[in-house]
Amino acid sequence: RLQHTSATNYTLTVNGAVDVTGAIFSSGGTGVLSLTAANVTSSGIVEAGVMIVSGALVNSGIMEIGTGIVDGNVTNTSAGDLSAKQFSFQGGAQAATFQGVTAFGDLTVAASSTVASTVTSSFTLTGATMTVSGTGAQTLGGANPVRIARLIVNKSAGTTTLSGDLQTVTALTLTRGVVTTGNYTLSLDARCGTGVTRGAGGWVDGN
């Protein structure tokens, strides 16, 4: 068990693989947990203001973070409970598997990152904004339909392709870039109403 109780923010940097079976947390969740050159496996409890993982993240415990930044694959197992106010995929070709309870605030797929997701359990993004930017090819979707509050697509180059049905609840903003649906559907919840904004270079190719 590693605990931080001071009112002062802290940064903990670990170089190497990390296996959490106990607890790592800070009072109020304000600290920075930087796990560099590492794959992280957790079956315990992790709480942090910012968590940076340069390798893969596998969670089967309880993980509550303010901002999560991950370069590798992300797996929340059926036993896992993963929540973050902001979560960002920062690597190249990444895979996201969400089997347990997963709740994100804002979800960002960074430039040149491709995320292929599999959703088999509770996945909550109905209060979140998903932002897709950059110039690389990016993939959104999962084995089950995904619902998010707002989708923003702002890509100067590269493609955005659905790998599953995706629904926006409150807003769809197509600033730049094409969303290709293929065999899937990008739909709007009835509450979305007129919450669709499209720039000159943004549109949906497909359904």
Side-chain angles (χ1 to χ4, degrees):
R1 173 173 172 153
L2 177 64
Q3 180 176 1
H4 171 266
T5 58
S6 169
T8 303
N9 290 348
Y10 75 98
T11 298
L12 174 65
T13 301
V14 180
N15 297 308
V18 177
D19 186 358
V20 180
T21 57
I24 299 176
F25 63 94
S26 64
S27 179
T30 58
V32 177
L33 180 59
S34 180
L35 305 171
T36 61
N39 293 325
V40 177
T41 302
S42 177
S43 58
I45 301 172
V46 177
E47 177 191 289
V50 177
M51 185 173 73
I52 303 169
V53 180
S54 62
L57 172 64
V58 178
N59 177 58
S60 57
I62 298 174
M63 190 169 288
E64 297 180 357
I65 50 181
T67 300
I69 302 171
V70 181
D71 288 348
N73 297 338
V74 177
T75 301
N76 191 37
T77 72
S78 58
D81 189 332
L82 172 62
S83 64
K85 294 179 181 178
Q86 297 179 325
F87 199 90
S88 179
F89 292 96
Q90 294 283 84
Q94 294 175 262
T97 303
F98 302 117
Q99 298 172 329
V101 177
T102 309
F104 291 146
D106 292 340
L107 178 62
T108 301
V109 181
S112 301
S113 179
T114 300
V115 178
S117 61
T118 301
V119 181
T120 60
S121 188
S122 175
F123 183 70
T124 303
L125 279 172
T126 53
T129 297
M130 178 186 288
T131 303
V132 181
S133 62
T135 58
Q138 295 169 295
T139 304
L140 304 175
N144 293 332
V146 174
R147 299 178 73 235
I148 60 175
R150 182 183 184 189
L151 174 65
I152 299 174
V153 179
N154 187 8
K155 293 175 62 64
S156 59
T159 59
T160 301
T161 304
L162 295 190
S163 60
D165 293 336
L166 191 148
Q167 183 180 67
T168 61
V169 176
T170 60
L172 172 63
T173 303
L174 302 171
T175 305
R176 290 185 300 176
V178 180
V179 179
T180 302
T181 62
N183 295 325
Y184 304 103
T185 300
L186 174 61
S187 62
L188 307 177
D189 187 274
R191 288 170 287 178
C192 192
T194 58
V196 178
T197 304
R198 187 175 74 85
W203 70 87
V204 175
D205 179 11
N207 302 315

